[in-house]
mmCIF file of all heavy atoms in Angstrom:
data_model
loop_
_atom_site.group_PDB
_atom_site.id
_atom_site.type_symbol
_atom_site.label_atom_id
_atom_site.label_comp_id
_atom_site.label_asym_id
_atom_site.label_seq_id
_atom_site.Cartn_x
_atom_site.Cartn_y
_atom_site.Cartn_z
ATOM 1 N N ASN A 978 -10.179 12.655 5.129
ATOM 2 C CA ASN A 978 -10.305 14.077 5.421
ATOM 3 C C ASN A 978 -9.336 14.848 4.523
ATOM 4 O O ASN A 978 -8.135 14.882 4.773
ATOM 5 C CB ASN A 978 -9.994 14.332 6.905
ATOM 6 C CG ASN A 978 -10.240 15.757 7.314
ATOM 7 O OD1 ASN A 978 -9.756 16.687 6.684
ATOM 8 N ND2 ASN A 978 -10.986 15.941 8.391
ATOM 9 N N LYS A 979 -9.897 15.453 3.486
ATOM 10 C CA LYS A 979 -9.065 16.130 2.494
ATOM 11 C C LYS A 979 -8.236 17.255 3.108
ATOM 12 O O LYS A 979 -7.068 17.441 2.763
ATOM 13 C CB LYS A 979 -9.938 16.668 1.352
ATOM 14 C CG LYS A 979 -9.142 17.260 0.213
ATOM 15 C CD LYS A 979 -10.061 17.673 -0.928
ATOM 16 C CE LYS A 979 -9.268 18.214 -2.091
ATOM 17 N NZ LYS A 979 -10.126 18.561 -3.219
ATOM 18 N N SER A 980 -8.812 18.007 4.039
ATOM 19 C CA SER A 980 -8.069 19.104 4.661
ATOM 20 C C SER A 980 -6.882 18.582 5.469
ATOM 21 O O SER A 980 -5.796 19.164 5.439
ATOM 22 C CB SER A 980 -8.991 19.926 5.571
ATOM 23 O OG SER A 980 -9.968 20.584 4.795
ATOM 24 N N ALA A 981 -7.070 17.471 6.173
ATOM 25 C CA ALA A 981 -5.969 16.878 6.941
ATOM 26 C C ALA A 981 -4.883 16.375 5.991
ATOM 27 O O ALA A 981 -3.684 16.530 6.265
ATOM 28 C CB ALA A 981 -6.482 15.745 7.817
ATOM 29 N N PHE A 982 -5.290 15.803 4.882
ATOM 30 C CA PHE A 982 -4.331 15.329 3.878
ATOM 31 C C PHE A 982 -3.547 16.506 3.298
ATOM 32 O O PHE A 982 -2.324 16.452 3.173
ATOM 33 C CB PHE A 982 -5.077 14.565 2.781
ATOM 34 C CG PHE A 982 -4.184 13.944 1.751
ATOM 35 C CD1 PHE A 982 -3.301 12.932 2.091
ATOM 36 C CD2 PHE A 982 -4.235 14.362 0.435
ATOM 37 C CE1 PHE A 982 -2.476 12.344 1.136
ATOM 38 C CE2 PHE A 982 -3.418 13.786 -0.520
ATOM 39 C CZ PHE A 982 -2.542 12.772 -0.176
ATOM 40 N N THR A 983 -4.256 17.572 2.995
ATOM 41 C CA THR A 983 -3.607 18.766 2.454
ATOM 42 C C THR A 983 -2.606 19.332 3.458
ATOM 43 O O THR A 983 -1.481 19.678 3.092
ATOM 44 C CB THR A 983 -4.646 19.843 2.082
ATOM 45 O OG1 THR A 983 -5.568 19.291 1.132
ATOM 46 C CG2 THR A 983 -3.991 21.070 1.490
ATOM 47 N N ARG A 984 -2.988 19.424 4.723
ATOM 48 C CA ARG A 984 -2.072 19.936 5.758
ATOM 49 C C ARG A 984 -0.803 19.083 5.850
ATOM 50 O O ARG A 984 0.296 19.608 5.995
ATOM 51 C CB ARG A 984 -2.766 20.005 7.113
ATOM 52 C CG ARG A 984 -3.701 21.185 7.264
ATOM 53 C CD ARG A 984 -4.149 21.375 8.705
ATOM 54 N NE ARG A 984 -4.804 20.209 9.263
ATOM 55 C CZ ARG A 984 -6.093 19.913 9.103
ATOM 56 N NH1 ARG A 984 -6.864 20.715 8.397
ATOM 57 N NH2 ARG A 984 -6.612 18.837 9.659
ATOM 58 N N ALA A 985 -0.965 17.778 5.741
ATOM 59 C CA ALA A 985 0.204 16.891 5.783
ATOM 60 C C ALA A 985 1.118 17.156 4.584
ATOM 61 O O ALA A 985 2.339 17.215 4.728
ATOM 62 C CB ALA A 985 -0.240 15.436 5.811
ATOM 63 N N LEU A 986 0.515 17.344 3.419
ATOM 64 C CA LEU A 986 1.303 17.623 2.214
ATOM 65 C C LEU A 986 1.975 18.992 2.270
ATOM 66 O O LEU A 986 3.060 19.193 1.708
ATOM 67 C CB LEU A 986 0.427 17.533 0.970
ATOM 68 C CG LEU A 986 -0.079 16.145 0.597
ATOM 69 C CD1 LEU A 986 -1.062 16.238 -0.562
ATOM 70 C CD2 LEU A 986 1.071 15.222 0.259
ATOM 71 N N GLN A 987 1.346 19.930 2.941
ATOM 72 C CA GLN A 987 1.899 21.287 3.025
ATOM 73 C C GLN A 987 3.221 21.335 3.801
ATOM 74 O O GLN A 987 3.948 22.313 3.701
ATOM 75 C CB GLN A 987 0.879 22.238 3.635
ATOM 76 C CG GLN A 987 -0.237 22.580 2.666
ATOM 77 C CD GLN A 987 -1.368 23.355 3.300
ATOM 78 O OE1 GLN A 987 -1.615 23.250 4.503
ATOM 79 N NE2 GLN A 987 -2.083 24.120 2.476
ATOM 80 N N LYS A 988 3.538 20.289 4.526
ATOM 81 C CA LYS A 988 4.848 20.226 5.180
ATOM 82 C C LYS A 988 5.951 20.134 4.139
ATOM 83 O O LYS A 988 7.071 20.582 4.364
ATOM 84 C CB LYS A 988 4.914 19.031 6.134
ATOM 85 C CG LYS A 988 3.992 19.179 7.323
ATOM 86 C CD LYS A 988 4.022 17.945 8.202
ATOM 87 C CE LYS A 988 3.029 18.089 9.344
ATOM 88 N NZ LYS A 988 2.946 16.877 10.158
ATOM 89 N N LEU A 989 5.619 19.571 2.979
ATOM 90 C CA LEU A 989 6.576 19.466 1.874
ATOM 91 C C LEU A 989 6.376 20.557 0.825
ATOM 92 O O LEU A 989 7.333 21.037 0.231
ATOM 93 C CB LEU A 989 6.447 18.095 1.198
ATOM 94 C CG LEU A 989 6.712 16.887 2.084
ATOM 95 C CD1 LEU A 989 6.345 15.606 1.354
ATOM 96 C CD2 LEU A 989 8.166 16.858 2.508
ATOM 97 N N LEU A 990 5.116 20.918 0.606
ATOM 98 C CA LEU A 990 4.756 21.934 -0.395
ATOM 99 C C LEU A 990 3.831 22.957 0.241
ATOM 100 O O LEU A 990 2.601 22.861 0.125
ATOM 101 C CB LEU A 990 4.051 21.283 -1.594
ATOM 102 C CG LEU A 990 4.862 20.269 -2.389
ATOM 103 C CD1 LEU A 990 3.965 19.453 -3.286
ATOM 104 C CD2 LEU A 990 5.927 20.982 -3.194
ATOM 105 N N PRO A 991 4.377 23.951 0.937
ATOM 106 C CA PRO A 991 3.551 24.910 1.688
ATOM 107 C C PRO A 991 2.496 25.629 0.850
ATOM 108 O O PRO A 991 1.439 25.978 1.361
ATOM 109 C CB PRO A 991 4.569 25.902 2.247
ATOM 110 C CG PRO A 991 5.868 25.169 2.244
ATOM 111 C CD PRO A 991 5.800 24.210 1.089
ATOM 112 N N GLU A 992 2.747 25.841 -0.432
ATOM 113 C CA GLU A 992 1.805 26.598 -1.264
ATOM 114 C C GLU A 992 0.624 25.759 -1.758
ATOM 115 O O GLU A 992 -0.312 26.279 -2.368
ATOM 116 C CB GLU A 992 2.547 27.212 -2.465
ATOM 117 C CG GLU A 992 3.113 26.219 -3.460
ATOM 118 C CD GLU A 992 4.449 25.598 -3.073
ATOM 119 O OE1 GLU A 992 5.008 25.903 -2.001
ATOM 120 O OE2 GLU A 992 4.942 24.772 -3.853
ATOM 121 N N LEU A 993 0.617 24.468 -1.492
ATOM 122 C CA LEU A 993 -0.449 23.578 -1.928
ATOM 123 C C LEU A 993 -1.775 23.926 -1.249
ATOM 124 O O LEU A 993 -1.801 24.276 -0.071
ATOM 125 C CB LEU A 993 -0.066 22.133 -1.586
ATOM 126 C CG LEU A 993 -0.861 21.038 -2.267
ATOM 127 C CD1 LEU A 993 -0.504 20.956 -3.739
ATOM 128 C CD2 LEU A 993 -0.568 19.714 -1.586
ATOM 129 N N THR A 994 -2.873 23.829 -2.003
ATOM 130 C CA THR A 994 -4.210 24.087 -1.439
ATOM 131 C C THR A 994 -5.117 22.887 -1.713
ATOM 132 O O THR A 994 -4.801 22.034 -2.550
ATOM 133 C CB THR A 994 -4.855 25.337 -2.064
ATOM 134 O OG1 THR A 994 -5.131 25.070 -3.449
ATOM 135 C CG2 THR A 994 -3.949 26.556 -1.935
ATOM 136 N N ASN A 995 -6.268 22.864 -1.043
ATOM 137 C CA ASN A 995 -7.259 21.809 -1.282
ATOM 138 C C ASN A 995 -7.668 21.747 -2.749
ATOM 139 O O ASN A 995 -7.914 20.668 -3.281
ATOM 140 C CB ASN A 995 -8.511 22.045 -0.428
ATOM 141 C CG ASN A 995 -8.403 21.452 0.950
ATOM 142 O OD1 ASN A 995 -7.541 20.631 1.228
ATOM 143 N ND2 ASN A 995 -9.292 21.865 1.831
ATOM 144 N N GLU A 996 -7.745 22.905 -3.385
ATOM 145 C CA GLU A 996 -8.186 22.965 -4.774
ATOM 146 C C GLU A 996 -7.173 22.333 -5.735
ATOM 147 O O GLU A 996 -7.512 21.979 -6.860
ATOM 148 C CB GLU A 996 -8.453 24.425 -5.190
ATOM 149 C CG GLU A 996 -9.657 25.043 -4.503
ATOM 150 C CD GLU A 996 -9.393 25.376 -3.033
ATOM 151 O OE1 GLU A 996 -8.260 25.760 -2.675
ATOM 152 O OE2 GLU A 996 -10.328 25.218 -2.227
ATOM 153 N N ASP A 997 -5.930 22.202 -5.303
ATOM 154 C CA ASP A 997 -4.903 21.581 -6.145
ATOM 155 C C ASP A 997 -5.047 20.062 -6.213
ATOM 156 O O ASP A 997 -4.475 19.423 -7.100
ATOM 157 C CB ASP A 997 -3.502 21.901 -5.611
ATOM 158 C CG ASP A 997 -3.167 23.377 -5.691
ATOM 159 O OD1 ASP A 997 -3.515 24.003 -6.712
ATOM 160 O OD2 ASP A 997 -2.555 23.896 -4.745
ATOM 161 N N LEU A 998 -5.806 19.494 -5.296
ATOM 162 C CA LEU A 998 -5.907 18.042 -5.194
ATOM 163 C C LEU A 998 -7.205 17.537 -5.798
ATOM 164 O O LEU A 998 -8.271 18.093 -5.570
ATOM 165 C CB LEU A 998 -5.838 17.621 -3.722
ATOM 166 C CG LEU A 998 -4.597 18.089 -2.965
ATOM 167 C CD1 LEU A 998 -4.683 17.667 -1.504
ATOM 168 C CD2 LEU A 998 -3.331 17.547 -3.604
ATOM 169 N N ILE A 999 -7.089 16.474 -6.580
ATOM 170 C CA ILE A 999 -8.268 15.833 -7.159
ATOM 171 C C ILE A 999 -8.251 14.353 -6.756
ATOM 172 O O ILE A 999 -7.185 13.773 -6.528
ATOM 173 C CB ILE A 999 -8.305 15.979 -8.695
ATOM 174 C CG1 ILE A 999 -7.054 15.392 -9.329
ATOM 175 C CG2 ILE A 999 -8.486 17.427 -9.102
ATOM 176 C CD1 ILE A 999 -7.089 15.331 -10.839
ATOM 177 N N PRO A 1000 -9.425 13.733 -6.655
ATOM 178 C CA PRO A 1000 -9.465 12.315 -6.273
ATOM 179 C C PRO A 1000 -8.742 11.441 -7.299
ATOM 180 O O PRO A 1000 -8.723 11.735 -8.488
ATOM 181 C CB PRO A 1000 -10.956 11.987 -6.258
ATOM 182 C CG PRO A 1000 -11.652 13.304 -6.127
ATOM 183 C CD PRO A 1000 -10.756 14.295 -6.810
ATOM 184 N N GLY A 1001 -8.137 10.400 -6.807
ATOM 185 C CA GLY A 1001 -7.445 9.462 -7.682
ATOM 186 C C GLY A 1001 -7.414 8.089 -7.044
ATOM 187 O O GLY A 1001 -7.967 7.871 -5.959
ATOM 188 N N GLY A 1002 -6.787 7.168 -7.697
ATOM 189 C CA GLY A 1002 -6.680 5.813 -7.181
ATOM 190 C C GLY A 1002 -5.647 5.728 -6.069
ATOM 191 O O GLY A 1002 -4.898 6.660 -5.813
ATOM 192 N N SER A 1003 -5.638 4.617 -5.420
ATOM 193 C CA SER A 1003 -4.646 4.401 -4.374
ATOM 194 C C SER A 1003 -4.076 3.004 -4.529
ATOM 195 O O SER A 1003 -4.640 2.152 -5.217
ATOM 196 C CB SER A 1003 -5.264 4.580 -2.987
ATOM 197 O OG SER A 1003 -6.254 3.600 -2.782
ATOM 198 N N GLY A 1004 -2.971 2.790 -3.891
ATOM 199 C CA GLY A 1004 -2.321 1.495 -3.953
ATOM 200 C C GLY A 1004 -1.800 1.103 -2.594
ATOM 201 O O GLY A 1004 -1.946 1.828 -1.617
ATOM 202 N N VAL A 1005 -1.187 -0.036 -2.548
ATOM 203 C CA VAL A 1005 -0.625 -0.541 -1.303
ATOM 204 C C VAL A 1005 0.829 -0.883 -1.550
ATOM 205 O O VAL A 1005 1.173 -1.485 -2.563
ATOM 206 C CB VAL A 1005 -1.380 -1.801 -0.823
ATOM 207 C CG1 VAL A 1005 -0.731 -2.398 0.404
ATOM 208 C CG2 VAL A 1005 -2.842 -1.478 -0.565
ATOM 209 N N ARG A 1006 1.677 -0.462 -0.634
ATOM 210 C CA ARG A 1006 3.087 -0.821 -0.717
ATOM 211 C C ARG A 1006 3.456 -1.482 0.597
ATOM 212 O O ARG A 1006 3.184 -0.946 1.671
ATOM 213 C CB ARG A 1006 3.966 0.415 -0.930
ATOM 214 C CG ARG A 1006 5.447 0.064 -0.987
ATOM 215 C CD ARG A 1006 6.292 1.257 -1.332
ATOM 216 N NE ARG A 1006 6.634 2.075 -0.208
ATOM 217 C CZ ARG A 1006 7.633 1.839 0.637
ATOM 218 N NH1 ARG A 1006 8.356 0.758 0.516
ATOM 219 N NH2 ARG A 1006 7.893 2.664 1.612
ATOM 220 N N ALA A 1007 4.052 -2.639 0.496
ATOM 221 C CA ALA A 1007 4.483 -3.325 1.707
ATOM 222 C C ALA A 1007 5.532 -2.477 2.416
ATOM 223 O O ALA A 1007 6.393 -1.874 1.781
ATOM 224 C CB ALA A 1007 5.062 -4.680 1.352
ATOM 225 N N GLN A 1008 5.436 -2.406 3.712
ATOM 226 C CA GLN A 1008 6.386 -1.633 4.508
ATOM 227 C C GLN A 1008 6.969 -2.552 5.569
ATOM 228 O O GLN A 1008 6.236 -3.109 6.379
ATOM 229 C CB GLN A 1008 5.697 -0.445 5.169
ATOM 230 C CG GLN A 1008 6.610 0.402 6.013
ATOM 231 C CD GLN A 1008 7.596 1.204 5.188
ATOM 232 O OE1 GLN A 1008 7.215 1.858 4.218
ATOM 233 N NE2 GLN A 1008 8.855 1.157 5.545
ATOM 234 N N ALA A 1009 8.270 -2.720 5.544
ATOM 235 C CA ALA A 1009 8.926 -3.583 6.521
ATOM 236 C C ALA A 1009 9.013 -2.880 7.874
ATOM 237 O O ALA A 1009 9.132 -1.662 7.950
ATOM 238 C CB ALA A 1009 10.321 -3.958 6.040
ATOM 239 N N VAL A 1010 8.951 -3.679 8.920
ATOM 240 C CA VAL A 1010 9.124 -3.178 10.278
ATOM 241 C C VAL A 1010 10.187 -4.023 10.969
ATOM 242 O O VAL A 1010 10.407 -5.182 10.620
ATOM 243 C CB VAL A 1010 7.809 -3.222 11.093
ATOM 244 C CG1 VAL A 1010 6.774 -2.288 10.515
ATOM 245 C CG2 VAL A 1010 7.250 -4.624 11.174
ATOM 246 N N ASP A 1011 10.855 -3.423 11.961
ATOM 247 C CA ASP A 1011 11.862 -4.177 12.703
ATOM 248 C C ASP A 1011 11.190 -4.980 13.819
ATOM 249 O O ASP A 1011 9.964 -4.990 13.956
ATOM 250 C CB ASP A 1011 12.970 -3.264 13.233
ATOM 251 C CG ASP A 1011 12.488 -2.251 14.257
ATOM 252 O OD1 ASP A 1011 11.376 -2.399 14.814
ATOM 253 O OD2 ASP A 1011 13.242 -1.287 14.515
ATOM 254 N N LYS A 1012 11.984 -5.661 14.635
ATOM 255 C CA LYS A 1012 11.429 -6.528 15.681
ATOM 256 C C LYS A 1012 10.651 -5.758 16.741
ATOM 257 O O LYS A 1012 9.822 -6.322 17.440
ATOM 258 C CB LYS A 1012 12.551 -7.338 16.324
ATOM 259 C CG LYS A 1012 13.117 -8.369 15.379
ATOM 260 C CD LYS A 1012 14.226 -9.175 16.034
ATOM 261 C CE LYS A 1012 14.781 -10.165 15.032
ATOM 262 N NZ LYS A 1012 15.862 -10.976 15.590
ATOM 263 N N GLN A 1013 10.910 -4.442 16.864
ATOM 264 C CA GLN A 1013 10.184 -3.621 17.821
ATOM 265 C C GLN A 1013 8.937 -2.989 17.209
ATOM 266 O O GLN A 1013 8.227 -2.241 17.862
ATOM 267 C CB GLN A 1013 11.094 -2.515 18.389
ATOM 268 C CG GLN A 1013 12.172 -3.018 19.329
ATOM 269 C CD GLN A 1013 13.313 -3.739 18.622
ATOM 270 O OE1 GLN A 1013 13.732 -3.333 17.535
ATOM 271 N NE2 GLN A 1013 13.801 -4.813 19.207
ATOM 272 N N GLY A 1014 8.682 -3.248 15.928
ATOM 273 C CA GLY A 1014 7.515 -2.701 15.256
ATOM 274 C C GLY A 1014 7.749 -1.340 14.623
ATOM 275 O O GLY A 1014 6.818 -0.708 14.150
ATOM 276 N N LYS A 1015 8.997 -0.859 14.606
ATOM 277 C CA LYS A 1015 9.322 0.438 14.010
ATOM 278 C C LYS A 1015 9.454 0.291 12.493
ATOM 279 O O LYS A 1015 10.067 -0.654 12.002
ATOM 280 C CB LYS A 1015 10.635 0.957 14.606
ATOM 281 C CG LYS A 1015 11.017 2.317 14.101
ATOM 282 C CD LYS A 1015 12.294 2.817 14.767
ATOM 283 C CE LYS A 1015 12.615 4.192 14.242
ATOM 284 N NZ LYS A 1015 13.933 4.289 13.701
#
């Protein structure tokens, strides 16, 4: 959902709009979690 993605980004860059975003590739980064799953 591009609009939801844009809204999430606007927390960091309020002036960002849907038109500023273009499709691109994605990747995966391993993310460690503690014993409680945090």
Side-chain angles (χ1 to χ4, degrees):
N978 186 308
K979 186 176 182 177
S980 294
F982 184 65
T983 302
R984 283 192 303 276
L986 291 174
Q987 286 172 333
K988 293 177 183 175
L989 300 171
L990 298 165
E992 66 279 0
L993 195 71
T994 67
N995 273 345
E996 292 74 35
D997 295 319
L998 304 177
I999 58 172
S1003 64
V1005 175
R1006 179 174 85 82
Q1008 180 71 48
V1010 295
D1011 64 16
K1012 291 180 182 180
Q1013 289 74 38
K1015 183 177 181 235

